[in-house]
Amino acid sequence: MTDQVRSGPGGAQIGAFLDFTGTILQGYSPLRPMQVKTNIEDDQDRDVSLDLMKTLRASKAPQFVEDMVATVYPSWRGKSEDDIARVAKRLFERHVAGRLFPEAWQLIQAHRDKGHTVVIVTSGPRFIADAAAAALGAQFVLATELEKRDGVLTGLVDGAVLWRRAKARAVRDFAEREGIDPAASYGYSHGSEDIEVLSAVGHAVAINPDRALARIAEQQDWPVLRFAPRGTVSPLQVGRTLIGYGGFFGAVGAGLAKGAIKRDHRLGVDTAIGNSADVALRIGGVHVNLTGVENVWSHRPAVFIFNHQSQADVLVLSKVLRGGFTGITKKEMATSKLFGGVLRIADAVFVDRADSASARDALRPVADTLRGGLSVVIAPEGTRSLTPGVGPFKKGAFHIAQQAEVPIVPIIIRNAGELMWKHGRVLRSGTVDVIVEKPIDVSGWGLEEFSDRIAEVREMYVRYLENWPH
């Protein structure tokens, strides 16, 4: 479908209307909201979070809408709209983002590349949808609006609940208001309750459709897309992950023992790095598809940079680079029960991201590390991304490479976030694609062009991830 979008006409007059729960986001069962209770300390925030999770149920029954209007929205009476939005943003980042379909992200990026107007349409309130729109780059959200006075919610709905005909009417009204051509626009949904929405656009697409929608899609000759399940993990995946951790630390111990016997600390670290990654990924059922292996070794030492989505990135990078490197990571990782000890033994540099002065001081010796022959691995985004998208690049890695007179070597990782998302703890089996690009000489970058050259490197990541494998 992305190929069809990219080969079609562009412009803001073409809309892409995407249902939220079940289409962009895998829905929750009624029992699912209970899983957030232990991760939220404030009682009021916990209650709001549980109510917000209820709004994400992938229910087809009218009772779902009635329950929202009769019980959930009245419970927010007297609460600030900004407070609800704050809780929703945190909830999205900590729990909900892991249930975003990567394929939906690809679709949205394809529409954005064509300059289309991307709209998330939900029957629920806008709070979590707004957080998702910000992360995915959707320009608009159409949602059931809640009545408020001076920013405080009254517990009532403001206007119609966007359900069935009202949802389709909201799409048509938006298209007329924004100058959108419905006949040229796209609509995506998973549920038969959105048949009228899909019928309102020229290009209707069913995503993981229920039986009724699948039947209509076949009659109307609408394309049907099947997205892989997200969120739920199986006992097998949990078991493999636990065994993988055991294998990882066993291989680390064996590698370090070899170094101790040979009285060569670096040999022990490099053996531990490569072998532990091999073992953990093999047990977890993860295959790494590597392109550009010659660039891994062509220029060492180097500053290797990568797009950061997952804790699994550490294993993937270790498998690709094998050894001869250390990492720069946030100071919190120093106390990580899983990786803290390993990172300290591997001479990692721990940086306080909240203290820019401290971060600069910590990075000063890194140039000496590079001059001594040891490569460095840095995530220029500074933190893991919630989506497959690429965040802004910071300048630190490029300054270090320039000072040490070594090249930048880009590593583009695809799918790691799908196998273990930012806040995930269980590793799913699958394939991670990795491209190691040719080294980039930054020695001649002038101060006045530094930002633009970094933006060019980042754009390379964007192009790869949005148009993989081309």
Side-chain angles (χ1 to χ4, degrees), residues 390-444:
V390 183
F393 276 13
K394 298 180 180 180
K395 298 179 181 179
F398 301 89
H399 281 305
I400 290 170
Q402 193 174 67
Q403 292 168 11
E405 299 180 331
V406 300
I408 288 283
V409 180
I411 301 176
I412 302 99
I413 302 174
R414 176 178 178 266
N415 289 350
E418 296 181 30
L419 304 187
M420 179 183 278
W421 78 290
K422 178 175 180 177
H423 295 294
R425 297 180 180 178
V426 176
L427 182 65
R428 296 179 175 82
S429 60
T431 297
V432 175
D433 296 312
V434 179
I435 290 180
V436 182
E437 262 290 348
K438 294 179 180 179
I440 299 172
D441 181 6
V442 300
S443 60

Side-chain angles (χ1 to χ4, degrees), residues 65-393:
V65 177
E66 295 171 4
D67 182 51
M68 294 299 101
V69 174
T71 63
V72 173
Y73 303 152
S75 72
W76 294 345
R77 184 184 299 116
K79 296 186 182 298
S80 164
E81 186 178 43
D82 290 342
D83 285 343
I84 301 289
R86 172 184 56 80
V87 175
K89 182 175 183 295
R90 176 175 171 79
L91 188 66
F92 174 78
E93 294 172 350
R94 299 293 302 182
H95 296 277
V96 178
R99 299 178 74 86
L100 292 172
F101 290 117
E103 300 93 336
W105 176 84
Q106 292 282 355
L107 270 176
I108 290 173
Q109 300 315 302
H111 283 291
R112 291 185 63 200
D113 288 346
K114 297 298 292 188
H116 297 166
T117 300
V118 180
V119 187
I120 295 176
V121 190
T122 177
S123 298
R126 67 170 47 253
F127 301 111
I128 295 181
D130 277 344
L136 295 168
Q139 298 102 313
F140 297 95
V141 172
L142 298 180
T144 296
E145 298 295 344
L146 304 184
E147 185 183 78
K148 56 184 178 293
R149 294 172 186 166
D150 298 325
V152 176
L153 299 176
T154 66
L156 302 176
V157 173
D158 185 3
V161 175
L162 297 199
W163 177 258
R164 297 188 184 276
R165 291 182 179 178
K167 195 173 183 181
R169 190 182 310 116
V171 168
R172 289 192 295 267
D173 290 347
F174 176 88
E176 182 177 356
R177 185 168 65 250
E178 298 294 330
I180 304 295
D181 180 5
S185 295
Y186 297 76
Y188 303 90
S189 182
H190 77 293
S192 54
E193 72 276 10
D194 285 339
I195 289 174
E196 291 183 71
V197 173
L198 296 176
S199 300
V201 298
H203 304 283
V205 181
I207 294 177
N208 293 346
D210 58 27
R211 289 184 180 180
L213 180 57
R215 185 169 59 252
I216 295 296
E218 183 177 5
Q219 294 172 356
Q220 299 293 328
D221 199 26
W222 292 343
V224 175
L225 304 181
R226 301 287 180 181
F227 292 169
R230 299 289 294 164
T232 304
V233 294
S234 69
L236 175 62
Q237 291 169 333
V238 174
R240 293 179 74 165
T241 300
L242 292 174
I243 297 172
Y245 281 133
F248 171 84
F249 289 111
V252 167
L256 295 177
K258 179 178 180 180
I261 293 172
K262 298 287 187 179
R263 296 185 179 181
D264 186 335
H265 172 71
R266 196 65 231 174
L267 172 66
V269 170
D270 289 348
T271 303
I273 287 173
N275 290 352
S276 62
D278 289 342
V279 170
L281 292 174
R282 189 182 307 118
I283 293 174
V286 177
H287 172 69
V288 176
N289 180 30
L290 175 61
T291 302
V293 65
E294 67 279 4
N295 296 323
V296 173
W297 303 103
S298 63
H299 287 76
R300 294 247 189 154
V303 174
F304 292 94
I305 61 172
F306 68 101
N307 55 306
H308 198 12
Q309 293 182 45
S310 169
Q311 289 192 47
D313 293 337
V314 175
L315 298 176
V316 173
L317 291 166
S318 296
K319 182 174 180 63
V320 169
L321 299 179
R322 307 308 300 174
F325 72 93
T326 189
I328 297 177
T329 186
K330 60 184 180 181
K331 71 171 187 177
E332 291 83 359
M333 288 300 293
T335 56
S336 168
K337 295 179 180 178
L338 285 177
F339 297 113
V342 176
L343 290 170
R344 289 194 296 272
I345 292 172
D347 304 315
V349 178
F350 300 99
V351 177
D352 185 357
R353 295 184 303 187
D355 184 347
S356 57
S358 172
R360 286 193 296 269
D361 290 340
L363 291 176
R364 287 194 182 103
V366 177
D368 293 333
T369 298
L370 287 159
R371 295 187 189 104
L374 197 62
S375 294
V376 171
V377 179
I378 306 176
E381 296 165 281
T383 188
R384 287 168 288 172
S385 173
L386 288 170
T387 73
V390 183
F393 276 13

